[in-house]
Amino acid sequence: MDAIVEQFPPYREREAHAAHDGHAHHEPGFWRGCVFSTDHKVIGIQYGFTALCFLLFGFFLMLMMRWQIAHPGQPVPVLGPLLEKMLGPTQAPKGAISAELYNSFGAMHGTIMIFLGVVPLAFAAFGNYVVPLMIGAPDMAFPRVNMASYQAYVLGGIVMLVSFFIPGGAAQAGWTSYSPLATSIPTDGQVFWLIGMILLITSSLLGAVNFIATIIQLRAPGMTWLRLPFFVWAQFVTAFLLLLAFPPLEAAGIMQLMDRVAHTSFFLPTGLAAGGQLAHVSGGGSPLLWQHLFWFLGHPEVYVLILPAMGIVCEIIANNTRKPIWGYKSLVYSTLSIGFLSFIVWAHHMYLTGMGTKIATFFQATTLAISIPSVIILTCLLISLWGGSIRFNTPMLFCLAFLPMFGIGGLTGLPLGLAPADIYLHDTYYVIAHFHYVVAPGTIFALFAGIYYWLPKMTGRRMNEFWGRVHFWGSFIFMNVVFMPMFAQGMEGMLRRMADGGANYSAARVPGVPDTLPNDIMALHTWILWGAMCLGLAQIPFIINLFWSLKHGEETHSDNPWQATTLDWQTPTPPPHGNFAQVPRVYRGPYEYSVPGHDTDFTPQNEPEIAKPAAPRISTPAH
Amino acid sequence: MDIPYTVEARPDTGVYNAKVGIWLFLSSEVMLFGALFSAYVLIRVGTPAGEWPHGWQNLTLGTLNTVVLALSAITTLMAWVACKIRQFGKFQFFHGCTLLLGLTFLCIKMVEYHQHLNHYEIHLTDGRIADGDMLQNNPKQDYVVIKGRYAAYEEDLYDLRAQKNLKETEIKIPRSQIKDMQSYGPWHNDYLALYFTLTGLHALHILGGSIVIGYLWGPGRRLWKTDPERFTNRVEVSGLFWHFVDLVWIFLFPVLYLT
Amino acid sequence: MDELKTAQPGTARAAAGADPSGHAVDFHQYLRRCLYVFLAVLCAIGLMIFASYLPHYGWAAKVALILAVACVNAFLVAGFLMHLLSEKKLIYTLLGFTAFFFAGLMGLTIYAMHDMPVGTVFH
């Protein structure tokens, strides 16, 4: 073991000291230190703050859409006059949401939540802040590329936001931007959307390259692959998904941009008619090609959303059950299998496009196959709870809620993976409920848990526990109030993306016609609207708690307040530039909690083996 | 603490950071161009028989560009070797050559683009089609002049390779006889759409590579004095990118110019 | 990179100020190899152009032939100029994954587009 460690050349200790004692070290000013910083921790916080703002913005878009669905054509309360003032009377006449604006909100809610909210928060923010600390690295492998990644992300976000204010409004063809619809809608919002996406994809690619290179190259001495915390594994696989799945969407985006700007016909078929007239295009393109290229990213993207969340949950569960995670290797191999399989399941989003039975069978088989590693991960996390003396603090509560919520989201996805069921359920509220259960009470709960868990490392202060619990219970209850009814609505046949929430197809509007949407199903809209409002209210304690705790939270008085084993807790708080005073050496796996014969119930990864012959670390069987 | 393995290779992986980084980046580039090539295959296979254009490119210029890129691949490698043996003069010479060759490529590409955008297909009111390079297209004159030929059917314009000895003459067409007129831009048909998109994206890569190479050749050379090994690594990494761009052209040339 | 390393055994890889005369020979050896590769690449380009003028009965076979030559050409560039023939396992693993997913993207997409339901307008 030591021989292996010695092979690694020592870091340049001289600079490490200089960085540590503050006198010799030149403190960067505001611009270098906070805006154009190359420090992975600053960039992580930048990403986190920006992404949280976008999440809140996306949430408000959703609230307005829910109002429109429950009360079609009625002025939005409170925000209505503001909408009319900012977007003009064609978009929001008398403060009510026009159908075009509803479509814009729908497309942008999806885009913002996924590409500007959850992925930057889960992958870029947590990954940037935590991964180098966990593997014992001084920074990311390419700090300046890291900064460029954040800048491209901000630029992409600005382009997306600006598109609301151009004539015609933001993109209206859904977050999937299917051609020829996306090409035919007469708003330049789509061009903005495409340019914004290309910037965001560039940002993701730079980030992904950086993460993979960092994890491969900058692991501290002794940090072998199977000693990596599961969170690092999750981020590693996520980075690969981003690296290899995003470029096809970039290619597709470039082609759609050409379709709009240079009037090519990549995705426009011969004989295309728009608005009752033959479109003036050369034709010969393939609309299905867009869907293939889009979903080649789109499906791995689902795992980009969920894997980092699983990583966070795993860390927090291990820490708060005070025992090793159950089935670490199964977790790792399952994650790798998910990463691998996620590239060959994409066409299960396209069963309705007229797909042959052979290829549909292939994609059904791979889709069901990929549910196996997902279930293994969930099972491992569940079994890890068994027999632990669990600490029920706020991060742990969110993680415990993650398990059943992700379970509901995942299991309701199985019928969608089978073509016969999917053809009925496709494009209904059932799909909305399914993937929101995965992402909203799933991933976002894990992200909340991560914020509550790692904030003490970032600031040296804990967030308030009481208001954390208020936040948790409010979010937990109202998430379910919002999304559970959508399963019922979807199975009743209510389609998504209808600006009037299906009112035109309701039994109340067209009495006596079979297969209309019954009144009780329509009434659920009001139920969901109030649920969403309360969900919004439940976030207020979180926002106040977060900002209040930065200055006034309870001080931890320790670098390792949760008594965790991983390296991120073995640094000063907050970690200085360069992270570690000396190069950490890793002697053990990531989850050595409650090791028999050990003084404390946690053994940090960098704690050397005890010299005296310790009790056997693996407890003897048979009792 | 400084970031380790920026210069020397990590023992267990055998490579330095930037090399992992560039190969990861190139992997994503493979997927980017892979998706575009997939689009090419699908659109070409989906085109009705006989409607895929052949011989629409200037093969001389295309071949010249191919050779230019192949040569620049050699010079960029030589530049790296010169760094390896610590002969900065040689490095400057070879890297300068690479830069010039890259810019030559871009210039030739621009000439080709100009030729396409200046080539018009004109549908006349009597049903005939005039096709050729635009010579005079002054809005003040009530006629246009092209150097080209007449064709009876659209199909006659697709396979130029099969039609040997095409006679091109100067044709003067009164504007009153023109039904519609379209240049051979990306809007003209799917082949040209693919041509402009693929080569345009490739040209952007050449431009990006030239900027990096120009930086290393110009202001970036400061690093040579302080850390020649790291500078050599940078040259190697930029060379890998340049070779990849060459590699893409190796496939673009046959699929767009030859078949 | 490894070509150079093997060509100059005993010297620390590119240690500054190493004996220049010792390297000169290696440099010329390397230069000669590069020239061979360049000539081979030129031949491949010529061959492609020649193949495109062969008489043909349908484009499929000819496209396959030309692309085969292009693949040889690409192999020369990737293998020798990018030193892929003597690269580390890490890089191979990475490129292996990429090749697999690229094959999946292209293969499955093309297959899906041609496996349309029987009895529809597509088929």
Side-chain angles (χ1 to χ4, degrees), chain A residues 166-337:
Chain A
I166 62 166
Q172 292 170 13
W175 81 282
T176 51
S177 280
Y178 279 4
S179 269
L181 179 65
T183 324
S184 314
I185 291 181
T187 170
D188 284 335
Q190 189 64 29
V191 177
F192 278 71
W193 188 88
L194 289 165
I195 293 172
M197 280 308 291
I198 288 171
L199 284 166
L200 293 177
I201 293 170
T202 309
S203 156
S204 287
L205 287 180
L206 295 176
V209 167
N210 219 338
F211 273 77
I212 301 172
T214 305
I215 296 172
I216 289 177
Q217 289 286 99
L218 300 193
R219 280 168 292 124
M223 182 63 94
T224 55
W225 285 101
L226 285 180
R227 282 178 183 171
L228 285 177
F230 178 65
F231 178 75
V232 178
W233 270 111
Q235 294 282 353
F236 187 63
V237 174
T238 305
F240 262 106
L241 298 184
L242 287 174
L243 183 80
L244 298 179
F246 245 138
L249 181 64
E250 190 162 27
I254 291 167
M255 287 191 276
Q256 199 177 70
L257 197 62
M258 289 292 280
D259 273 2
R260 275 205 79 106
V261 177
H263 307 291
T264 57
S265 300
F266 285 113
F267 304 124
L268 307 178
T270 310
L272 173 71
Q277 292 181 17
L278 213 56
H280 194 69
V281 294
S282 64
S286 163
L288 277 188
L289 176 61
W290 168 268
Q291 298 194 20
H292 279 293
L293 294 178
F294 182 87
W295 287 115
F296 188 81
L297 159 86
H299 203 78
E301 182 76 12
V302 173
Y303 293 95
V304 169
L305 297 171
I306 197 67
L307 284 178
M310 286 171 163
I312 293 171
V313 169
C314 179
E315 295 305 316
I316 295 173
I317 283 186
N319 178 256
N320 285 311
T321 54
R322 315 304 294 164
K323 64 203 248 326
I325 206 79
W326 194 86
Y328 170 78
K329 279 192 183 172
S330 315
L331 283 173
V332 170
Y333 291 130
S334 300
T335 309
L336 290 172
S337 326

Side-chain angles (χ1 to χ4, degrees), chain A residues 197-484:
Chain A
M197 280 308 291
I198 288 171
L199 284 166
L200 293 177
I201 293 170
T202 309
S203 156
S204 287
L205 287 180
L206 295 176
V209 167
N210 219 338
F211 273 77
I212 301 172
T214 305
I215 296 172
I216 289 177
Q217 289 286 99
L218 300 193
R219 280 168 292 124
M223 182 63 94
T224 55
W225 285 101
L226 285 180
R227 282 178 183 171
L228 285 177
F230 178 65
F231 178 75
V232 178
W233 270 111
Q235 294 282 353
F236 187 63
V237 174
T238 305
F240 262 106
L241 298 184
L242 287 174
L243 183 80
L244 298 179
F246 245 138
L249 181 64
E250 190 162 27
I254 291 167
M255 287 191 276
Q256 199 177 70
L257 197 62
M258 289 292 280
D259 273 2
R260 275 205 79 106
V261 177
H263 307 291
T264 57
S265 300
F266 285 113
F267 304 124
L268 307 178
T270 310
L272 173 71
Q277 292 181 17
L278 213 56
H280 194 69
V281 294
S282 64
S286 163
L288 277 188
L289 176 61
W290 168 268
Q291 298 194 20
H292 279 293
L293 294 178
F294 182 87
W295 287 115
F296 188 81
L297 159 86
H299 203 78
E301 182 76 12
V302 173
Y303 293 95
V304 169
L305 297 171
I306 197 67
L307 284 178
M310 286 171 163
I312 293 171
V313 169
C314 179
E315 295 305 316
I316 295 173
I317 283 186
N319 178 256
N320 285 311
T321 54
R322 315 304 294 164
K323 64 203 248 326
I325 206 79
W326 194 86
Y328 170 78
K329 279 192 183 172
S330 315
L331 283 173
V332 170
Y333 291 130
S334 300
T335 309
L336 290 172
S337 326
I338 285 183
F340 197 71
L341 283 171
S342 69
F343 281 97
I344 47 173
V345 296
W346 79 84
H348 65 214
H349 295 268
M350 299 165 57
Y351 289 140
L352 219 58
T353 60
M355 188 183 269
T357 44
K358 287 202 264 323
I359 195 79
T361 307
F362 174 83
F363 281 112
Q364 290 177 72
T366 51
T367 303
L368 293 191
I370 202 173
S371 66
I372 296 169
S374 311
V375 169
I376 291 177
I377 291 179
L378 205 58
T379 311
C380 285
L381 295 175
L382 207 59
I383 296 178
S384 297
L385 302 174
W386 188 264
S389 53
I390 301 175
R391 302 192 302 208
F392 287 100
N393 45 36
T394 314
M396 188 61 177
L397 285 177
F398 274 107
C399 288
L400 290 175
F402 169 90
L403 300 177
M405 293 297 103
F406 174 71
I408 293 174
L411 292 175
T412 52
L414 286 178
L416 296 174
L418 295 165
D422 179 68
I423 285 172
Y424 176 72
L425 292 169
H426 190 95
D427 248 348
T428 64
Y429 266 88
Y430 181 92
V431 179
I432 303 250
H434 151 66
F435 71 74
H436 278 88
Y437 258 102
V438 175
V439 179
T443 300
I444 292 183
F445 271 19
L447 297 178
F448 281 140
I451 293 171
Y452 282 101
Y453 184 67
W454 272 296
L455 200 81
K457 175 49 67 182
M458 298 180 195
T459 60
R461 291 170 192 274
R462 282 178 207 258
M463 286 170 76
N464 183 288
E465 192 67 21
F466 172 75
W467 290 108
R469 277 158 203 264
V470 171
H471 173 218
F472 166 72
W473 285 108
S475 303
F476 180 68
I477 292 168
F478 291 112
M479 282 279 188
N480 284 291
V481 171
V482 170
F483 294 117
M484 197 60 90

